[in-house]
Amino acid sequence: MAAEVASVVAAFGALSTADQDKVREALLHGDKGNAAVDNAGAKPRGKIQAMSAEVVDSNPYSRLMALQRMGIVANYQDIRSFTVAIVGMGGVGSVAAEMLTRCGIGRLLLYDYDTVELANMNRLFFRPEHVGMTKTDAAAKTLAEINPDVELESFTSNITTVDGFEGFVRSLTQAPLGFQAEPPLPGGPVRGKGSRVDLVLSCVDNYEARMTINQACNELGQPWMESGVSEDAVSGHIQLLLPGETACFACVPPLVVASGIDERTLKREGVCAASLPTTMGMVAGLLVQNSLKYLLRFGTVSRYLGYNALADFFPTMEMRPNVQCDNAACRARQAEYAALAPEREAAARAAQAAAAAVEEPQVVHADNEWGIAVEEGDGEGAAAGGSGQQSGSTEAAPALPDGIQYLMAKRDEVDESTLAELAVGRTDTSLDDLQKQLDALNSGP
Amino acid sequence: MAAEVASVVAAFGALSTADQDKVREALLHGDKGNAAVDNAGAKPRGKIQAMSAEVVDSNPYSRLMALQRMGIVANYQDIRSFTVAIVGMGGVGSVAAEMLTRCGIGRLLLYDYDTVELANMNRLFFRPEHVGMTKTDAAAKTLAEINPDVELESFTSNITTVDGFEGFVRSLTQAPLGFQAEPPLPGGPVRGKGSRVDLVLSCVDNYEARMTINQACNELGQPWMESGVSEDAVSGHIQLLLPGETACFACVPPLVVASGIDERTLKREGVCAASLPTTMGMVAGLLVQNSLKYLLRFGTVSRYLGYNALADFFPTMEMRPNVQCDNAACRARQAEYAALAPEREAAARAAQAAAAAVEEPQVVHADNEWGIAVEEGDGEGAAAGGSGQQSGSTEAAPALPDGIQYLMAKRDEVDESTLAELAVGRTDTSLDDLQKQLDALNSGP
């Protein structure tokens, strides 16, 4: 090692640990002195101002922008205007963060309080060199190296504490010092009240943290997606939660909680849950694919999608809100959603009329000089199948189809009758009735 | 920024670019002055002699070995005796390699001839620091860092050339200098004739390379799995190919080839296919999950599993061999498979009898001193449902169910009648008839 190098390393070694972190930060992000000239491949690239579809080896976005040319996504570059919060940097959250980073998402908020261990190496993303770092630091470092265009904010905190919950809600609504909140995309996905985040992804491994996210999102009216992998590592699920519109996480509680067992008593000394990089990667893939479809408005956004790895079975279902949900914020969002039904119906009629109007000129024969047209149907088919449409699965499904299990249900602890009792079916109540029921509930003490 | 921090950053800025790289390297990996000593995890770990189920943070296998305790896999540690060859280190192959590495597979053979570009950064695995390296070198380096227990061999060659094909077959049958072939696991998956590989995974992006792998595997009788992602990035598939038993890749050729179009003419200047890290990651997950089920004999091994990302639809089907397949090696394997039918049936009967015998003592009441037993059925239920069973889906499916497309089919170039003409249905011919037909074909000029 040259004397100059040794002297800088020694000067570094003499610093306090906190100062060493600051130096490391300065050298990694931002001002790197004269650095980074040669070694074309290894040097970090500068930020790219606008996504380009140009087909050259040096363009990291050419194969994403090709989605537009192929007619899959109408406006891929809109992805840069979205902010996504990922809670939990485990086997699902870290891979979801990497996928969104490589897709060129605008901003990511990352939450975890844990540190990387060798026992995490059976899942993708973290590498042995990260052992001992906090998961948020290791993730932010790796993601910044992969794609410097993505704005990253990391929060090393436990959201399930009282302070943690307040900090979590604050982070969703207020940009921290030195950061600026992206304005919502006009016509884009709905954000929660005062929220600077387009979508929250829950990638946590316990009930308490899920209920915390549920509470924050219900209070804000914030759309979010939940994900989970079973303790035996061979099944998982994702679920879209739109406060007031779909079931919240408390509407259909996991059975272990419904039956009054504290989940902490289930974790025994010296026993750990199984996990596989395949199942975790699959669930992250399903979650981010559904997020891309939701944010960029293409394909069918699944409301609930399960994965049974042993049978390669992928059940879907619809989960409607429980009018008797324990969560007051959920009931308030349900009332708001019901009250807006006339507006939604009017908007749907207008959109249908607009689609029919756009459709019409295409029905006219190109070489028909009299403008005579044979109309086929009313254009509804085209409107329903277009790539710009976004809709959940609308088929009625039994509340708990074959192959679907509650995340923490134990075969030995839960009997069939409890399962049937807690199942939430399709509500046939009219919106007016629902409103009356909610008003009655809200007028109570 | 404190004065000490600023002074170190300034000293760093004054260095030459090469020296800055050295300092950065020193601070990031390895000797970090006084700081590095306690950061135990950052130094590479040594090889681990035997997989342990011990639940400690430093055990990279605890959550994989937990699959045994949870009753999912009978012998997880057998994974160390398997050798898997992965052809193609693109968006699917590189992630498949990482998953198998983190699962602790015994040996991986990696094949590719391409180099890493920034345009590959929209898929998982490769990082900007790898740009300019061959994909095999970058993959081998990263995988060795992630899990030094996995034996890696990398082959930087194009298997579709004449020399490349010979080298490919040689690499499957002969261990290179300095390497030793693992013996096949007794009672484990069948290897091809003279093969040292338990499973070949095809993760290539073109027809020619798939046909090359098909030829090699048909000649050896080598089990393999094929994978693919569509050019519009929103669908993919995996397929298990057991020479003689299932359709080979030439039995049902992709329509673009069947209709006589050279696929190279389809690639236009300045146009590239779309790709997404989600779809690629999902297909890698499906592929490696199916590989784990095949190698470790648990769950249902899918013969064909499709993924339609727009609709979250996962079609499965059975693909039987085409008795008129163009590929002579496929027809020879079909004849061998047919000839062994009596042996397979005898073995199945013996296994069933053995399972029934094992089952019997459990039927006897534990506290029944006279040994009186009530037998329920013949033990078949237990034999069929056990986790040690391995079977493909046996349902007859239409040759091309809804939602399944040939990999390279183009909506504009292929008509429905061609599709119907080329479809291979279930063969109702008896095994004797099949044998006679094949004898007739083989006795020709």
Side-chain angles (χ1 to χ4, degrees):
Chain A
M1 201 184 284
E4 293 85 353
V5 173
S7 109
V8 172
V9 172
F12 175 82
L15 294 177
S16 71
T17 308
D19 281 349
Q20 286 184 344
D21 284 345
K22 282 181 202 151
V23 170
R24 218 176 278 125
E25 183 65 19
L27 301 192
L28 282 177
H29 311 111
D31 43 344
K32 302 181 186 184
N34 299 329
V37 183
D38 33 60
N39 197 3
K43 81 154 188 269
R45 67 170 169 84
K47 294 214 178 196
I48 291 174
Q49 284 309 309
M51 281 188 171
S52 147
E54 196 193 356
V55 183
V56 287
D57 286 343
S58 58
N59 178 5
Y61 298 120
S62 57
R63 287 165 198 191
L64 294 164
M65 291 294 282
L67 289 164
Q68 293 188 180
R69 191 179 41 73
M70 297 198 138
I72 301 297
V73 180
N75 286 302
Y76 189 82
Q77 73 270 37
D78 281 355
I79 198 161
R80 288 200 149 188
S81 57
F82 298 129
T83 297
V84 174
I86 306 181
V87 189
M89 285 289 109
V92 173
S94 62
V95 180
E98 179 172 353
M99 287 174 170
L100 284 168
T101 296
R102 291 183 184 267
C103 282
I105 194 83
R107 181 181 297 274
L108 281 183
L109 278 55
L110 312 174
Y111 303 79
D112 207 298
Y113 62 93
D114 218 350
T115 51
V116 181
E117 305 289 354
L118 265 187
N120 304 137
M121 293 304 130
N122 70 320
R123 281 94 84 184
L124 299 179
F125 193 76
F126 291 116
R127 301 191 300 276
E129 70 200 65
H130 298 136
V131 169
M133 291 173 77
T134 63
K135 287 184 176 175
T136 44
D137 281 355
K141 175 179 178 297
T142 302
L143 299 175
E145 285 163 5
I146 289 173
N147 189 349
D149 294 335
V150 177
E151 304 286 338
L152 299 168
E153 296 174 28
S154 69
F155 301 89
T156 310
S157 71
N158 180 353
I159 64 163
T160 65
T161 64
V162 174
D163 284 353
F165 177 77
E166 282 169 10
F168 177 52
V169 173
R170 199 165 47 239
S171 71
L172 296 178
T173 52
Q174 294 168 29
L177 218 64
F179 288 103
Q180 202 173 354
E182 259 85 22
L185 187 74
V190 174
R191 289 180 178 178
K193 287 176 208 99
S195 172
R196 62 187 183 112
V197 171
D198 295 286
L199 188 63
V200 174
L201 300 181
S202 162
C203 304
V204 298
D205 64 355
N206 65 87
Y207 172 77
E208 225 174 334
R210 286 185 175 89
M211 284 301 261
T212 304
I213 298 167
N214 189 59
Q215 183 62 34
C217 292
N218 276 346
E219 288 180 9
L220 296 171
Q222 173 65 50
W224 63 293
M225 284 187 205
E226 139 72 6
S227 67
V229 174
S230 65
E231 287 199 351
D232 65 7
V234 285
S235 60
H237 75 275
I238 63 161
Q239 183 181 348
L240 171 68
L241 296 102
L242 304 171
E245 185 175 348
T246 69
C248 88
F249 195 72
C251 281
V252 192
L255 291 183
V256 65
V257 178
S259 48
I261 301 162
D262 183 339
E263 67 168 329
R264 280 164 296 198
T265 65
L266 292 174
K267 307 233 163 169
R268 281 150 292 170
E269 198 60 42
V271 169
C272 75
S275 60
L276 279 167
T278 43
T279 310
M280 295 274 192
M282 289 280 300
V283 170
L286 292 172
L287 183 69
V288 176
Q289 198 83 289
N290 215 40
S291 300
L292 293 175
K293 292 194 284 182
Y294 172 81
L295 295 170
L296 294 166
R297 307 196 166 234
F298 67 100
T300 300
V301 179
S302 284
R303 294 292 175 93
Y304 179 101
L305 177 58
Y307 169 44
N308 174 328
L310 293 182
D312 283 333
F313 175 56
F314 297 81
T316 55
M317 65 171 170
E318 183 86 346
M319 289 171 90
R320 289 175 180 257
N322 176 359
V323 290
Q324 292 168 21
C325 181
D326 280 348
N327 190 293
C330 172
R331 293 195 310 272
R333 295 297 87 74
Q334 288 185 48
E336 286 168 12
Y337 184 77
L340 289 172
E343 283 181 38
R344 273 194 306 280
E345 282 156 23
R349 275 193 303 273
Q352 199 174 314
V358 169
E359 208 58 22
E360 222 148 345
Q362 297 177 355
V363 177
V364 179
H365 285 255
D367 52 358
N368 174 347
E369 54 184 298
W370 298 281
I372 299 169
V374 181
E375 294 199 14
E376 295 175 27
D378 55 5
E380 263 191 321
S387 67
Q389 296 293 316
Q390 179 194 342
S391 64
S393 157
T394 52
E395 284 166 56
L400 283 169
D402 220 34
I404 294 183
Q405 297 175 36
Y406 286 107
L407 184 72
M408 285 159 218
K410 301 274 164 195
R411 207 174 289 127
D412 309 330
E413 289 155 8
V414 178
D415 59 303
E416 288 296 319
S417 64
T418 317
L419 201 71
E421 201 176 290
L422 285 160
V424 172
R426 180 183 262 275
T427 309
D428 285 326
T429 325
S430 79
L431 291 174
D432 283 347
D433 288 349
L434 189 66
Q435 183 61 51
K436 277 179 208 144
Q437 285 182 37
L438 283 164
D439 290 346
L441 282 168
N442 288 337
S443 65
Chain B
M1 202 182 286
E4 294 86 352
V5 173
S7 109
V8 172
V9 172
F12 175 81
L15 294 177
S16 72
T17 306
D19 282 349
Q20 286 184 344
D21 284 345
K22 281 180 205 151
V23 171
R24 209 178 291 115
E25 182 65 21
L27 301 193
L28 285 177
H29 313 112
D31 44 343
K32 301 181 186 182
N34 300 331
V37 184
D38 29 65
N39 192 3
K43 78 160 185 276
R45 69 169 168 86
K47 293 213 178 197
I48 291 173
Q49 284 309 308
M51 280 189 173
S52 147
E54 197 193 354
V55 182
V56 288
D57 286 344
S58 57
N59 178 7
Y61 297 120
S62 57
R63 288 167 196 187
L64 294 163
M65 291 295 281
L67 289 164
Q68 294 188 182
R69 192 179 39 76
M70 298 200 135
I72 301 296
V73 180
N75 286 303
Y76 190 83
Q77 72 269 37
D78 281 354
I79 198 160
R80 288 200 148 187
S81 58
F82 298 129
T83 298
V84 175
I86 305 181
V87 189
M89 285 289 109
V92 174
S94 62
V95 180
E98 179 172 351
M99 287 175 169
L100 285 168
T101 296
R102 291 183 184 267
C103 282
I105 194 83
R107 180 181 297 274
L108 281 183
L109 278 54
L110 312 173
Y111 303 78
D112 206 297
Y113 62 94
D114 218 349
T115 52
V116 181
E117 306 289 354
L118 265 187
N120 304 137
M121 292 305 128
N122 70 319
R123 279 94 85 185
L124 299 179
F125 192 76
F126 292 116
R127 301 191 300 277
E129 70 200 64
H130 297 135
V131 168
M133 291 172 77
T134 62
K135 288 185 176 176
T136 42
D137 282 355
K141 177 177 177 296
T142 302
L143 298 175
E145 284 164 6
I146 289 173
N147 189 349
D149 295 334
V150 177
E151 304 285 339
L152 298 168
E153 297 174 29
S154 69
F155 301 89
T156 310
S157 70
N158 180 351
I159 64 162
T160 65
T161 63
V162 174
D163 284 353
F165 177 78
E166 282 168 9
F168 177 52
V169 173
R170 197 163 51 240
S171 72
L172 296 178
T173 50
Q174 295 167 29
L177 218 65
F179 288 103
Q180 203 173 354
E182 258 86 20
L185 187 74
V190 173
R191 290 180 176 178
K193 287 178 207 96
S195 171
R196 63 186 182 112
V197 171
D198 295 286
L199 188 64
V200 174
L201 300 181
S202 162
C203 303
V204 298
D205 65 354
N206 66 87
Y207 172 77
E208 225 175 334
R210 287 185 174 88
M211 284 301 262
T212 304
I213 298 167
N214 189 60
Q215 184 63 36
C217 291
N218 276 345
E219 287 180 11
L220 296 171
Q222 173 65 49
W224 63 292
M225 285 188 204
E226 140 71 6
S227 67
V229 174
S230 65
E231 288 199 351
D232 64 7
V234 284
S235 60
H237 74 275
I238 62 161
Q239 183 182 347
L240 171 67
L241 297 101
L242 304 171
E245 184 175 348
T246 70
C248 89
F249 195 72
C251 281
V252 191
L255 292 182
V256 65
V257 178
S259 48
I261 300 162
D262 183 338
E263 67 168 331
R264 280 165 296 198
T265 65
L266 292 173
K267 306 233 162 167
R268 281 150 292 167
E269 198 60 44
V271 169
C272 76
S275 60
L276 279 167
T278 43
T279 310
M280 294 274 192
M282 289 280 301
V283 170
L286 292 172
L287 183 68
V288 176
Q289 198 83 289
N290 215 39
S291 301
L292 293 175
K293 292 193 286 181
Y294 172 82
L295 294 169
L296 294 166
R297 306 196 168 233
F298 67 99
T300 301
V301 179
S302 283
R303 294 290 175 96
Y304 179 101
L305 177 58
Y307 169 45
N308 175 329
L310 293 181
D312 284 333
F313 176 56
F314 298 81
T316 54
M317 64 171 172
E318 183 88 344
M319 290 171 90
R320 289 174 179 256
N322 176 359
V323 290
Q324 292 168 23
C325 181
D326 280 348
N327 189 293
C330 172
R331 293 196 309 274
R333 294 296 87 74
Q334 289 185 49
E336 285 168 14
Y337 184 76
L340 289 172
E343 284 181 36
R344 273 194 305 281
E345 283 156 22
R349 275 193 303 273
Q352 199 175 311
V358 169
E359 208 58 21
E360 223 151 342
Q362 298 177 357
V363 177
V364 178
H365 285 255
D367 52 359
N368 175 347
E369 54 184 294
W370 298 283
I372 298 170
V374 182
E375 296 200 12
E376 295 178 26
D378 54 6
E380 263 191 321
S387 67
Q389 296 293 315
Q390 179 193 342
S391 64
S393 155
T394 51
E395 286 165 55
L400 283 168
D402 219 34
I404 294 182
Q405 297 174 37
Y406 287 108
L407 185 72
M408 284 159 218
K410 299 275 162 192
R411 208 174 289 125
D412 308 329
E413 289 154 7
V414 178
D415 58 303
E416 288 296 317
S417 63
T418 316
L419 202 72
E421 200 176 291
L422 285 159
V424 173
R426 181 184 261 278
T427 308
D428 285 324
T429 325
S430 79
L431 292 172
D432 283 347
D433 288 348
L434 189 68
Q435 184 61 52
K436 277 179 209 147
Q437 284 181 37
L438 283 164
D439 290 346
L441 282 168
N442 289 337
S443 65

